[in-house]
Amino acid sequence: MNTQNIFFRFIFIILFSVYSSSISYSKDIIKIGTLLPYSGVYTVLGEEITNAMSLAFDEIGNKINGNTIEIIKGDTEVKPNIALQKSRKLISSDKVDILVGPVSSSVALALRDIVVQTKTPLIIPNAGANVLTDEKCSKFITRISFSNYQINAPMGSWLANQGIKTAFLLAPNYAAGKEMMNAFKEKFTEAGGAILGEEYTPFRKTKDFGPYLARVKESGADAVYVFYAGGEAINFIKQAHSFGLSKVMKLTGAGWTTSPLFLPAQKDAAIGFIGSLNYVPSIDTEANKIFINSYKSKFGRIPSEFAVQGYDSGKVIIEAIKSLSGDVTNKDNLAEAIRTVSINGPRGPLTIDKKTNNVIQNIYIFEVIAGEKGPELKVLDTIKAVKAPGKKCNI
Ligand code: BEZ
């Protein structure tokens, strides 16, 4: 090779490496699409998740490796068909890099195939549908919230061990309600408990719980085990209180039913409820205190578990993109980076189970007590590092 050739080859290599590095770092805008409810029964949950995710981005000046973070919102209205339409727009027209959502299990089931087929990394900040980290798992779906089984199964054994022998189940009639009750039932009956009856109320439509409360009372069970969230949780707890249900049996259930997000509306009607969650505001760690202070100073109220799930989604996005030096162009690499993140956040240690892509986390069993500033969640027990089983998934 003559000197001239060597010179041109050298110049080519220099130009090529400058060009390729400019491709990987020149994205300028990282687009995060949300698929969350901004209308309908779970509106406050969607807003809380979005607020807290924005807080995580604000903390780093809304930039990762020099690229600006842009949030593009999609309102699912808690309706699977609407969510699917919105996902098509976010993926094909807006060309988002990552999707964050949804809140409802039924919506999550509807979105599963489109995110996997288009290889769009999805971070689930709430919806607990079990199959998404089991037989329908994918490396493009990472759940940092919980699986419906993960929160409810521990309550089955725990309540049975506390001497509750019989229970009546009550939940909205959709995927999450059914899965939560089944998880509780499995562990409760395994530990010797008996289910005296179960009712599933029309989802998004039930305003009057009176007829159901009457059947729960008639059952004579030691406890009612329920799941409600959003407006349904507020109505249920208030109506159960006026009905006097807690005078004849223990009120227990999935902890969202008395989330700190709903307590200001439920007030003393929530006192005495026993539930389980992946976060309670009383967790005594530095990370939690800092988070509560900054959430309170920005939004004027204490954060709920939904806020923590939104905040941790933001943190996971930041850490994953940083680990790729800001290069989000390769979706396989991005999905891999997301599932590799582990953080120590407000709820405690959070790691992603490599086998299922579902979060491994502590579950807190609490009782709602009368605090100085109103009802609050007092931790009765902590079950450490709980996994979702995900036996049919092996990513
Ligand atoms: C769900 O649909 O998966 C869900 C909704 C609200 C709270 C918890 C779970």
Coordinates of all heavy atoms in Angstrom, one line a residue, residues 42 45 103-105 126-129 146 148 174 176 180 227 229 256 306, ligand 1:
Y42 N -59.7 5.8 37.3 CA -58.3 5.8 37.8 C -57.5 7.1 37.5 O -56.3 7.1 37.5 CB -57.6 4.6 37.3 CG -58.0 3.2 37.9 CD1 -57.7 2.0 37.2 CD2 -58.7 3.2 39.1 CE1 -58.1 0.8 37.8 CE2 -59.1 1.9 39.6 CZ -58.8 0.8 38.9 OH -59.2 -0.5 39.5
L45 N -54.8 8.2 39.9 CA -53.6 7.3 39.9 C -52.7 7.7 38.7 O -51.5 7.7 38.9 CB -54.1 5.8 39.7 CG -54.7 5.1 40.9 CD1 -56.1 5.7 41.3 CD2 -54.9 3.6 40.6
V103 N -52.2 1.6 34.1 CA -52.6 1.4 35.5 C -53.4 0.2 35.6 O -53.3 -0.6 36.6 CB -53.4 2.7 36.0 CG1 -54.3 2.3 37.2 CG2 -52.4 3.8 36.4
S104 N -54.3 -0.1 34.6 CA -55.2 -1.2 34.8 C -54.7 -2.5 34.1 O -54.1 -2.5 33.0 CB -56.6 -0.8 34.1 OG -57.2 -1.9 33.6
S105 N -55.0 -3.6 34.8 CA -54.5 -4.9 34.3 C -55.1 -5.2 32.9 O -54.5 -5.7 32.0 CB -54.9 -6.0 35.2 OG -54.1 -6.1 36.3
N126 N -47.7 0.3 37.2 CA -48.8 -0.1 38.1 C -49.4 -1.5 37.7 O -49.3 -2.4 38.5 CB -49.9 1.0 38.2 CG -50.9 0.6 39.3 OD1 -50.5 0.8 40.5 ND2 -52.0 0.1 39.0
A127 N -50.1 -1.6 36.6 CA -50.9 -2.7 36.3 C -50.3 -4.1 36.7 O -49.1 -4.4 36.3 CB -51.2 -2.7 34.8
G128 N -51.0 -4.9 37.4 CA -50.4 -6.1 38.0 C -50.7 -7.4 37.3 O -50.4 -8.4 37.8
A129 N -51.4 -7.4 36.1 CA -51.8 -8.6 35.5 C -50.7 -9.7 35.5 O -49.6 -9.5 34.9 CB -52.2 -8.3 34.0
F146 N -45.7 -4.2 40.7 CA -46.0 -5.5 41.4 C -46.7 -6.4 40.5 O -47.2 -5.9 39.5 CB -46.9 -5.1 42.6 CG -48.1 -4.3 42.2 CD1 -49.3 -5.0 41.7 CD2 -48.1 -2.9 42.2 CE1 -50.4 -4.2 41.2 CE2 -49.2 -2.2 41.7 CZ -50.3 -2.8 41.2
N148 N -50.2 -8.9 40.6 CA -51.4 -9.0 41.5 C -51.2 -10.1 42.6 O -51.6 -10.0 43.7 CB -52.6 -9.2 40.7 CG -53.0 -8.0 39.9 OD1 -52.8 -6.9 40.3 ND2 -53.5 -8.2 38.7
Y174 N -63.0 -7.5 36.9 CA -62.1 -7.4 35.8 C -60.8 -8.2 36.2 O -60.7 -8.6 37.3 CB -61.9 -6.0 35.3 CG -60.9 -5.1 36.0 CD1 -59.6 -4.9 35.5 CD2 -61.2 -4.6 37.3 CE1 -58.7 -4.1 36.2 CE2 -60.3 -3.8 37.9 CZ -59.0 -3.5 37.4 OH -58.1 -2.8 38.1
A176 N -57.8 -7.7 37.2 CA -57.0 -7.4 38.5 C -57.8 -7.9 39.7 O -57.3 -8.6 40.6 CB -56.7 -6.0 38.6
M180 N -56.4 -10.9 42.1 CA -56.0 -10.6 43.5 C -56.8 -11.5 44.4 O -56.2 -12.1 45.4 CB -56.3 -9.2 43.8 CG -55.4 -8.2 43.0 SD -55.7 -6.5 43.6 CE -55.0 -5.6 42.2
F227 N -60.6 -5.6 47.2 CA -59.7 -4.8 46.4 C -60.5 -3.7 45.7 O -61.5 -4.1 45.0 CB -58.9 -5.6 45.3 CG -58.4 -4.7 44.2 CD1 -57.6 -3.6 44.4 CD2 -58.9 -4.9 42.9 CE1 -57.2 -2.8 43.4 CE2 -58.5 -4.0 41.8 CZ -57.6 -3.0 42.1
A229 N -59.8 0.6 44.0 CA -58.9 1.7 43.9 C -59.7 2.9 43.3 O -60.8 2.7 42.7 CB -57.7 1.3 43.0
W256 N -54.3 -0.9 48.3 CA -54.7 0.3 47.5 C -56.1 0.8 48.0 O -56.4 1.9 47.8 CB -54.8 0.0 46.0 CG -53.5 -0.6 45.5 CD1 -52.4 0.1 45.2 CD2 -53.2 -2.0 45.2 NE1 -51.4 -0.7 44.8 CE2 -51.9 -2.0 44.7 CE3 -54.0 -3.1 45.2 CZ2 -51.3 -3.2 44.3 CZ3 -53.3 -4.3 44.9 CH2 -52.0 -4.3 44.4
F306 N -48.5 4.8 44.4 CA -48.5 5.1 42.9 C -47.4 6.1 42.6 O -46.8 6.0 41.5 CB -49.9 5.7 42.5 CG -51.1 4.8 42.9 CD1 -51.9 5.1 43.9 CD2 -51.2 3.6 42.3 CE1 -53.0 4.3 44.3 CE2 -52.3 2.7 42.6 CZ -53.1 3.1 43.6
Ligands
BEZ1 C1 -54.7 -3.2 38.1 O1 -55.7 -3.1 37.4 O2 -53.8 -4.0 37.9 C2 -54.7 -2.3 39.3 C3 -55.4 -1.1 39.4 C4 -55.3 -0.3 40.5 C5 -54.5 -0.7 41.6 C6 -53.8 -1.8 41.5 C7 -53.9 -2.7 40.4

